[in-house]
Amino acid sequence: MRRSVVLLSTLLMFLSVALVSPICAAESLSVVSVVEKKVQLAATMGIEQVRYFTLDSPKRLVVDLYGVLPGQHNDEFQLSDGFKLLRIGPLDNKTRFVFDVTGSVFPTFKVNTDNDQVVVTWEHSQDAVANALAEPATVGSAKITAIDFASEDGQSKIYINLNGNAGVTNPTLNGNKIQFSLKNTTLPRSLRRVFDTLAFPSAIHSATPYLVNESGQPEVRFVVTLKGDVPYRLQENAGGYVLAVTDGRYAQAAPATTGTMPVSAQSAAVVASAPASSSSFAPPSMAGQLAVPVIEQLGSQENNYTGEKTSLVFDNAEVRDILRLIAEISDLNIIASDEVKGNVTLRLIDVPWDQALELILDVTGLGMVQEGNVVRVLPKEKIRSMKEAELSAVHSQEKLEPLVTEVVTVSYADLGSVAGPAKDILSDRGNITEDSRNKLLIITDVPQRIEKAKELIAILDTPERQVMIEARIVQVNSNYSRELGVHWGMFGADVDNGSGDTRSFQSLTSAGGNFLVDITEGSVGPLIPAAGISSQMQIGRALIDDVVLDLQLQALQADGKGKVISTPRVTTLNGETATISQGTTIPYQTSGADGPKTEFISAELKLEVTPVINPDGSIILEVLATNDSPSLTAGASAPSIDTKKAETKVLIRDGETTVIGGIYVESIQESEDGIPGLMGIPILGNLFKSQKKQSVKDELLIFITPRIMTDN
């Protein structure tokens, strides 16, 4: 009986432990306390790790508590003065707290992680600080007008120019950071940024001014980061204050370099405190750069980053933790290998997450391989080894695969021009045989290489494009002539002398100009028809009965125009020469040792064109145009050839027309015929002479229009 009671007691104890265990399991639950412009975040069993960052579109502050589950509190809290809402929810092994920003400007906030809790405090960006920025400034306050930097005489100096009187605190050294404040002083938005002096031979790494509200009064605080332990001093000068730092071993022997930090008009969020620890928040930097020598950027190609902007500020943080944070921001599945190790210090403000990831991988010697939504992060040497191993595996597999043979038909291209490039794609075991009779290529290799060769052959084996060239050759001829003059003549007639004998007189004289109208023998006969207008007068018995005085007047004007148009067309392949001609072959006799023989010479109109089609659709034309005509020369053994020639190279669009040449010839002739002496008498001399004027104009124009034929 007693033994049964003991067994029953033991069984009940195990059951009670089994029932109580789930309730007593260690769980760290979040605790939230909201008081005006302050939020306290804590956990019942402590916080493993805290990470926070900012996001844009819309602007929000994100705080993650690792190893914490949401407690018994609301999922949302209404906030004010810069943050409008606090949203809480679980995410993987942490609880995420999202502070939604009111408007488009972050409030002045501070995040402290002391005593195993997170305290977020903030001030509205348009309250005390914004009032301090209003113009005119608060009565009795000073205003910083410029911040300059100079490196000279082995010292680096930061000049702070002021308007008004400002109280300054003694500088304190915290690690490698010098901190001091200017009381009752305002800071323009253009100067609220980080001033980087890495380009100088200086012991100063950077200087960061920021504006805070201290008991209702504006105050400017400076954080100057040093490269090492060096002497420094803060002193007042005529324009404000100057911080002098002895460069020591950080100085170089190069000549002193000075630079001025320009003012930028772009605004940014106001920060309430300086970064003090590895988890401190740093404000978004302003879009201004130092007007000093800068480090040359590696590479000239600009990448287009599309990721959401974020801010990451870490001091000596593990790379794996930063990759985990980027994975949460980007919704990527990031897998880091065991070789991913080391720490990194970074300060990235308002940077797209994909750019931040690329920068972090670059400075740590890592690379990534992305497949869909999964990214593998490995050392670059490891990735290179993987690619080499893949290539080696492919080559090894090709050596084991059986060879196959395929026949490929080549329709348009030359076999040699296709077989050469295709052979370069084949493996060491591959071969190509040309069948010129049937225009076939016999390819032997592994199937994968044959498919690549067939793809290349399909690209190269395309029909050659053709060009139709239309030429319009225009030859215009214009001639003009005019004749005006007087011709005198004296002729005899058959006269009976009274004894029955008849005397016959011949023409006694003929004087004046040359005409187309002649006089018949004997009495003055009728005029022979001729162009123009002419008139004839006869004077008989006025002088002697048997003598007739003949007077001829003539006026002739001729005006002629001619136009010859030839429109030859020819079609040719791209890059091939096309020729079209029309003319006459002239025979002529020559003599030699073999005796007389007949030879021929050509006088023709000829057009020779070579088109070359460019990838953009334009055409380069090489044109040779000749227009030969026969010319007979007295006493010559062979006919002469008058040659007109135009040779050029032009660039023209498809379907456009261009004039490749024009030859213009004008000939003017003037002449006078008459009786010497008498023709020179003023006015009266026109009765004893004739005048002739002739003008001939000849013009040759060649128009070329190429057209690419799309349907072969």
Side-chain angles (χ1 to χ4, degrees):
M1 181 68 180
R2 183 176 180 181
R3 185 176 180 181
S4 300
V5 172
V6 173
L7 292 177
L8 182 60
S9 301
T10 304
L11 180 61
L12 291 175
M13 181 180 66
F14 277 110
L15 289 176
S16 63
V17 171
L19 294 175
V20 175
S21 296
I23 301 176
C24 299
E27 292 182 348
S28 184
L29 304 178
S30 61
V31 178
V32 181
S33 174
V34 179
V35 180
E36 293 184 353
K37 292 177 287 185
K38 179 179 179 181
V39 174
Q40 292 181 334
L41 306 177
T44 57
M45 301 297 293
I47 303 174
E48 294 181 3
Q49 190 179 12
V50 177
R51 288 288 185 269
Y52 66 93
F53 51 89
T54 61
L55 296 175
D56 288 334
S57 302
K59 292 184 179 297
R60 54 201 183 276
L61 169 65
V62 179
V63 179
D64 289 336
L65 304 185
Y66 286 81
V68 177
L69 297 176
Q72 299 297 325
H73 51 70
N74 297 335
D75 295 337
E76 294 182 354
F77 292 90
Q78 296 295 328
L79 305 178
S80 61
D81 296 326
F83 287 123
K84 61 181 178 181
L85 184 65
L86 171 60
R87 294 180 287 115
I88 306 171
L91 181 64
D92 297 335
N93 63 333
K94 60 181 176 293
T95 299
R96 172 161 291 183
F97 300 84
V98 180
F99 293 78
D100 293 333
V101 177
T102 302
S104 60
V105 179
F106 275 97
T108 304
F109 64 88
K110 182 178 180 181
V111 180
N112 290 327
T113 57
D114 299 333
N115 300 324
D116 203 17
Q117 67 175 354
V118 178
V119 180
V120 181
T121 58
W122 68 91
E123 292 288 342
H124 199 287
S125 59
Q126 296 181 356
D127 286 347
V129 178
N131 294 332
L133 296 176
E135 297 294 345
T138 306
V139 177
S141 65
K143 180 178 180 181
I144 298 178
T145 58
I147 300 176
D148 299 335
F149 175 82
S151 179
E152 53 190 13
D153 300 331
Q155 287 187 336
S156 297
K157 297 181 180 180
I158 298 177
Y159 294 92
I160 305 172
N161 298 330
L162 291 170
N163 278 340
N165 298 322
V168 62
T169 62
N170 293 326
T172 59
L173 183 62
N174 183 11
N176 64 335
K177 296 181 177 65
I178 301 174
Q179 300 180 5
F180 60 93
S181 303
L182 297 180
K183 300 291 186 179
N184 200 22
T185 305
T186 61
L187 181 67
R189 292 182 182 274
S190 57
L191 297 179
R192 298 176 208 162
R193 55 188 174 87
V194 178
F195 295 94
D196 192 351
T197 60
L198 288 176
F200 288 93
S202 170
I204 298 178
H205 179 277
S206 62
T208 306
Y210 54 95
L211 182 65
V212 298
N213 177 30
E214 184 68 23
S215 301
Q217 295 296 327
E219 179 179 318
V220 178
R221 295 178 181 175
F222 283 84
V223 176
V224 180
T225 304
L226 304 178
K227 297 180 181 178
D229 187 11
V230 293
Y232 65 90
R233 70 179 183 274
L234 178 64
Q235 59 188 13
E236 186 176 2
N237 62 0
Y241 293 91
V242 57
L243 176 67
V245 178
T246 302
D247 293 329
R249 66 180 184 274
Y250 301 102
Q252 297 180 1
T257 306
T258 61
T260 301
M261 302 174 184
V263 174
S264 173
Q266 184 174 354
S267 61
V270 182
V271 182
S273 62
S277 63
S278 62
S279 61
S280 299
F281 173 78
S285 62
M286 307 302 294
Q289 301 295 335
L290 291 175
V292 296
V294 296
I295 300 176
E296 183 180 0
Q297 295 182 356
L298 297 177
S300 58
Q301 182 178 4
E302 294 183 0
N303 296 325
N304 295 324
Y305 300 104
T306 58
E308 187 177 8
K309 290 185 178 181
T310 183
S311 298
L312 301 174
V313 180
F314 295 101
D315 185 9
N316 199 27
E318 292 188 4
V319 176
R320 302 174 68 91
D321 293 338
I322 299 176
L323 293 177
R324 187 183 301 112
L325 180 60
I326 294 178
E328 296 171 358
I329 300 173
S330 61
D331 291 334
L332 286 177
N333 298 313
I334 298 181
I335 302 175
S337 66
D338 295 337
E339 294 88 347
V340 178
K341 298 178 182 179
N343 297 342
V344 64
T345 299
L346 67 141
R347 182 182 186 278
L348 300 176
I349 307 300
D350 286 342
V351 176
W353 65 261
D354 48 353
Q355 183 182 8
L357 176 60
E358 181 177 328
L359 293 173
I360 294 171
L361 295 179
D362 184 57
V363 299
T364 55
L366 300 174
M368 65 178 181
V369 179
Q370 184 170 0
E371 298 176 358
N373 196 32
V374 179
V375 175
R376 291 186 295 165
V377 179
L378 304 166
K380 292 182 179 179
E381 293 297 331
K382 183 69 174 180
I383 296 176
R384 186 180 298 108
S385 301
M386 291 172 54
K387 292 183 178 180
E388 293 176 355
E390 291 177 359
L391 292 177
S392 300
V394 172
H395 290 308
S396 300
Q397 184 179 0
E398 286 183 348
K399 293 181 180 180
L400 299 176
E401 287 187 30
L403 299 178
V404 297
T405 300
E406 291 192 22
V407 178
V408 181
T409 302
V410 179
S411 302
Y412 306 102
D414 180 71
L415 287 180
S417 61
V418 175
K423 192 172 183 179
D424 296 337
I425 297 180
L426 301 182
S427 64
D428 298 336
R429 304 163 61 196
N431 185 34
I432 293 182
T433 303
E434 301 179 15
D435 182 3
S436 58
R437 185 174 64 88
N438 298 315
K439 293 198 71 175
L440 299 176
L441 291 178
I442 304 172
I443 306 176
T444 302
D445 206 338
V446 296
Q448 184 179 1
R449 294 297 183 110
I450 291 180
E451 289 300 323
K452 293 182 179 179
K454 290 170 64 177
E455 293 176 0
L456 179 60
I457 293 173
I459 296 174
L460 299 178
D461 186 25
T462 55
E464 193 72 47
R465 290 190 291 178
Q466 300 186 80
V467 181
M468 184 184 69
I469 302 164
E470 179 180 354
R472 185 177 296 268
I473 303 173
V474 181
Q475 185 171 1
V476 180
N477 180 272
S478 175
N479 58 78
Y480 168 81
S481 64
R482 184 182 66 183
E483 294 185 39
L484 179 63
V486 178
H487 186 81
W488 294 90
M490 182 178 294
F491 299 89
D494 293 338
V495 180
D496 188 0
N497 56 8
S499 61
D501 297 332
T502 302
R503 295 180 298 171
S504 177
F505 290 90
Q506 300 298 325
S507 174
L508 298 178
T509 181
S510 178
N514 295 326
F515 292 90
L516 297 177
V517 181
D518 293 332
I519 303 298
T520 60
E521 281 191 30
S523 62
V524 178
L527 294 174
I528 297 176
I533 183 172
S534 62
S535 178
Q536 176 176 287
M537 290 192 311
Q538 301 176 6
I539 303 175
R541 298 181 181 277
L543 299 175
I544 305 174
D545 290 343
D546 55 359
V547 178
V548 177
L549 182 63
D550 181 36
L551 173 64
Q552 295 180 356
L553 300 176
Q554 184 179 17
L556 174 64
Q557 179 173 327
D559 190 1
K561 294 182 179 180
K563 186 176 183 181
V564 179
I565 299 178
S566 177
T567 310
R569 294 182 182 179
V570 63
T571 301
T572 182
L573 292 176
N574 179 29
E576 300 295 333
T577 301
T579 303
I580 186 170
S581 62
Q582 177 184 4
T584 304
T585 301
I586 304 171
Y588 62 95
Q589 293 289 334
T590 60
S591 60
D594 298 336
K597 61 179 180 179
T598 302
E599 296 187 1
F600 297 89
I601 186 172
S602 298
E604 59 184 3
L605 174 64
K606 181 179 178 181
L607 180 65
E608 184 176 302
V609 183
T610 304
V612 177
I613 303 175
N614 294 324
D616 62 350
S618 61
I619 305 173
I620 298 176
L621 293 179
E622 293 186 12
V623 183
L624 174 61
T626 58
N627 185 20
D628 300 338
S629 59
S631 176
L632 300 178
T633 304
S637 60
S640 301
I641 301 297
D642 293 337
T643 301
K644 298 176 183 178
K645 179 180 177 181
E647 183 175 2
T648 184
K649 179 184 287 188
V650 295
L651 176 64
I652 186 174
R653 290 286 181 182
D654 179 25
E656 294 182 354
T657 301
T658 183
V659 181
I660 65 167
I663 301 175
Y664 180 80
V665 179
E666 183 177 6
S667 176
I668 300 176
Q669 295 180 355
E670 294 184 359
S671 62
E672 287 185 352
D673 295 330
I675 302 174
L678 296 179
M679 63 181 293
I681 300 174
I683 302 176
L684 294 178
N686 294 323
L687 298 175
F688 302 97
K689 68 179 179 181
S690 63
Q691 297 176 339
K692 183 177 181 181
K693 183 177 181 181
Q694 186 176 11
S695 175
V696 178
K697 299 179 182 179
D698 193 5
E699 185 174 5
L700 176 65
L701 296 175
I702 302 174
F703 301 87
I704 297 291
T705 304
R707 290 183 174 87
I708 300 175
M709 301 181 65
T710 57
D711 187 4
N712 290 329

